Amino acid sequence: MEPNYLEYKGKYKGIFAWIFSTDHKRIGLLYLYAVGAFFCVGALLGLLMKLELIAPDKTIMEAQVYNSVFTLHGITMIFLVVIPGLPAVFGNFLLPIMIGAKDVAFPKLNLLSWWVYVFGALLALSSQFMGSGPPDTGWTFYAPYSFQTQSNVLPAVMGAFVLGFSSILTGLNFIVTMHRMRAPGMGWFRMPLFPWTLYATAWIQLLATPIVGITLLMIVAERTLGIGFFDPAKGGDPILYQHLFWIYSHPAVYIMILPAMGAISEILPTFSKKPIFGYKALVFSSLAIALVGYFVWGHHMFTAGMSGTALYAFSFLTFLVAIPSAIKVFNWVSTLYKASIDMQTPFYWATSFIFVFMIGGFSGLVLGALATNVHVHDTAFVVAHFHFIVFGGVGYAFFGAIHYWFPKIWGRMYDVKWANFGWLTFFIGYLALYGPMFYLGLVGMPRRYFDYLPEYHGPNILSSLGAIVMIGGLAIIITNLIISSRRGETAKANPWGGSTLEWTVPSPPPLENFEEIPVVDKNPYEYK
Amino acid sequence: MFLNVSNFVEGVDKAFVFIFAICVFLLVGITAVMLYFIYRYNKKRNPKATQIHGSTSLELIWTIVPLIIVLVMFAYGWTGWKPMKEKAPDDAMQITAIGRMWSFGFEYPNGKYTDSLYVPQGKPVELDLVSEDVVHSFYIPAFRLKQDMVPGSDKDRMWFIANSPGSYDIFCAEYCGLRHSYMYSSVVVMPPDEFEQWYADTAAVQPETAGETEMSADAVAGLNILKKNGCNACHSMDGTRLVGPSYKGLMGKTETVMENGEEKQVEIDRDYIVRAIYHPDEQIVKGYQAGQMQSYEGKISEKEIDQIIEYFKTLQ
């Protein structure tokens, strides 16, 4: 039998066998290690912010440091962790296997995407150590502050620009792969839901990312050549910047959340031992989110001074985009009806995902309505909402996915007790961390605050303690995964009784996944 | 039911209550159903799953019902917000609200200038929101109002009728740099007659300095110029180190400054103060950052600088 992809020996040795590998599985793991490392950095920066906020006045750092820390936290988490997170890690590893292909359509382009990602990441991070101090603009780089600050904004902006290419190339690769390389018999509606969400995501990556690329280049032109696009002192318009930024950055939220929803749609049927409820509804809701998601960016700017007509049009569209997400939640919950549930760690993550995602979604309705938005816009409420969607949504799905596909990726089982204990600790800490921020926002505490008035102290203490507990949970989870990947029990090909194609190949899969390309003659989620 | 601190609170809070009620009901309901399913259909209790693929009628129900719910939410949000965007009543008092890194200032039609916003109870007030540098956001949580102050834009306005006397927080809600979290002020709502009395007294420009008898008229004027231009956001009066050096003990002392990258000793005299206000980056006191302060040439006259210096002399 062919050696598995972990042990395969190609023409390069040692680390080069990885960083020059065009195997989609090795590239997926390269992304995992990079994303995982950046995630740990971002999480620690978040913890530092929370420790600073445990009491009014300076606690552990100066205001300038705090402003740089939340900027770096945002840049790292958004551009280096959540945008590439699920698509680049699990998409790369699993997409070809799940559709019965030997690799993605353009393996070399795929490797290039990873290198571009690493280059962009290093460029973005170099801003911390070179020039006139780390950037302090927030990850949104709002004009004209981003032109006036003396801090080192350019490398961060250029880094984000370069990272965009990695995202575009990955999206392109996945679209072609799904169009051209599905196994014989796998019609579009026999494709599993995780690839479907990657498909919707890939189109957003391809069509929306160039806009932020151009916008970031405009910042560079303005800062270096003095062309007045956005700075009113030079005749530019700061609101134009906000439009261009959010035209990308709102759809980017769907780049993050769609594959997360896809992973949940894989986990639930496997542990329920029954088909996913409303397969087509889930497919079309993904496409609807990708489509309508393009037209709601203005809800980030309800107080920026747009016309009243624009405001209620954007508010209306924002409410429409809630519907496909609601449809997904109903279908997920209905999948559990008359199921035969095997309570495993990925299932805990998936169901807690549904809970936190609902909180994130409902708080999104508060933000979508005009009257309420004006009050809570730019307060801690938005930060809580955002983290419930992006950390609650994407983060929970990521941890669910990594436990779910762990046996497939490393051919070993994780330690169940530690995994469940880690999940519980994380879940409790998570709710304590972000829950109070809803309240803080409602009573008027603005976001990106280094210091606050004494009236906001109580909830901030709870939030900071929650952060400590949550980081403890993360440490347990990550340590358990690392140790288990080396010493865990050997895994079978299909430890969970899953029905999609990745469970038909050995764990870990051989280099080219399938000895013979499978012929698909049934829908993805069929159980006897 | 609602404490109508401003004329918009009721509309906004109704939208909050409606949306929260529906959301909490759905969150609790769906979570309860999910937990019940997890309990009831555990493989111990239900060893064999029933193979159900879906239901078109259910899909229709949970598409249409949520659609109706969110449209009602949209309507609540719109109704609560619409009056804010409408034109202020014609008799509204016009006040200019200025935001700059990192303080607010308020200019009244009769030339009065204050750090806190003073308004009469029960009368419409319209604010013209102006930014002198970057984007700020003018936020009064108690009034449920927020509007960005965009530099270069003359369209940013906000109006309200304050109903209850008292003092309420104003925050800057849009991140604007180093001391963003210290950029706050308050709106003081006064009974109409009390307000008229205060407003008519143009001699005491600042209520804060109204009772000041220790200082000469020039020094009081100097303090008011500093406040009007937001200087105190970055320079303290009591020796505290902020973004720039403190005024305390400033006049006559010898400082080490950086000029073109070289250290230099200078005595702080009138010439230095003029230069620091008109060309702030030329001689930066050692240990402070250049590029933080704009030039006030054309905004503060030399005569006014003399008054500022009179004030500095009181801080020895």
Side-chain angles (χ1 to χ4, degrees), chain A residues 45 122 154 253 288 425 438 440:
Chain A
L45 290 170
L122 294 179
L154 278 182
V253 180
T425 315
F438 281 124
L440 284 169

Side-chain angles (χ1 to χ4, degrees), chain A residues 285-527:
Chain A
S285 58
S286 294
L287 298 176
I289 289 174
L291 183 72
V292 185
Y294 270 105
F295 304 105
V296 300
W297 78 85
H299 65 218
H300 294 269
M301 303 164 57
F302 280 166
T303 66
M306 280 193 292
S307 81
T309 320
L311 290 191
Y312 61 74
F314 278 122
S315 170
F316 184 76
L317 287 163
T318 302
F319 276 111
L320 290 190
V321 85
I323 301 298
S325 301
I327 292 172
K328 282 185 186 287
V329 169
F330 288 123
N331 280 299
W332 288 328
V333 174
S334 302
T335 301
L336 307 180
Y337 176 65
K338 294 201 173 170
S340 179
I341 294 168
D342 184 11
M343 298 282 278
Q344 296 286 350
T345 317
F347 187 82
Y348 287 117
W349 282 107
T351 43
S352 52
F353 165 94
I354 296 177
F355 178 71
V356 292
F357 180 71
M358 279 197 290
I359 297 177
F362 286 135
S363 58
L365 298 175
V366 176
L367 288 162
L370 288 169
T372 45
N373 176 286
V374 169
H375 180 55
V376 289
H377 179 79
D378 267 330
T379 65
F381 190 93
V382 175
V383 183
H385 159 74
F386 180 76
H387 283 82
F388 263 89
I389 294 284
V390 170
F391 195 24
V394 183
Y396 280 61
F398 193 95
F399 284 116
I402 204 168
H403 286 94
Y404 178 55
W405 283 305
F406 189 90
K408 184 57 59 188
I409 296 174
W410 284 283
R412 295 183 180 275
M413 301 301 286
Y414 56 80
D415 184 297
V416 178
K417 274 189 191 146
W418 280 109
N420 290 346
F421 179 64
W423 164 80
L424 186 66
T425 315
F426 179 89
F427 187 55
I428 293 168
Y430 175 90
L431 293 179
L433 164 53
Y434 297 109
M437 292 171 77
F438 281 124
Y439 174 77
L440 284 169
L442 283 172
V443 294
M445 181 176 146
R447 66 189 294 197
R448 295 176 166 176
Y449 250 35
F450 162 73
D451 196 1
Y452 48 81
L453 297 181
E455 65 220 51
Y456 300 122
H457 192 186
N460 269 305
I461 299 177
L462 179 58
S463 181
S464 299
L465 294 178
I468 296 167
V469 174
M470 193 190 78
I471 294 288
L474 270 180
I476 296 169
I477 294 162
I478 294 172
T479 313
N480 180 40
L481 289 176
I482 293 174
I483 294 177
S484 300
S485 72
R486 289 154 187 263
R487 296 198 219 132
E489 281 175 49
T490 313
K492 290 179 287 190
N494 189 1
W496 314 126
S499 71
T500 37
L501 283 176
E502 78 270 30
W503 302 112
T504 64
V505 299
S507 306
L511 178 69
E512 295 202 310
N513 305 341
F514 302 95
E515 281 179 33
E516 227 174 288
I517 292 295
V519 176
V520 178
D521 56 0
K522 63 181 183 65
N523 292 327
Y525 312 103
E526 296 297 337
Y527 299 85

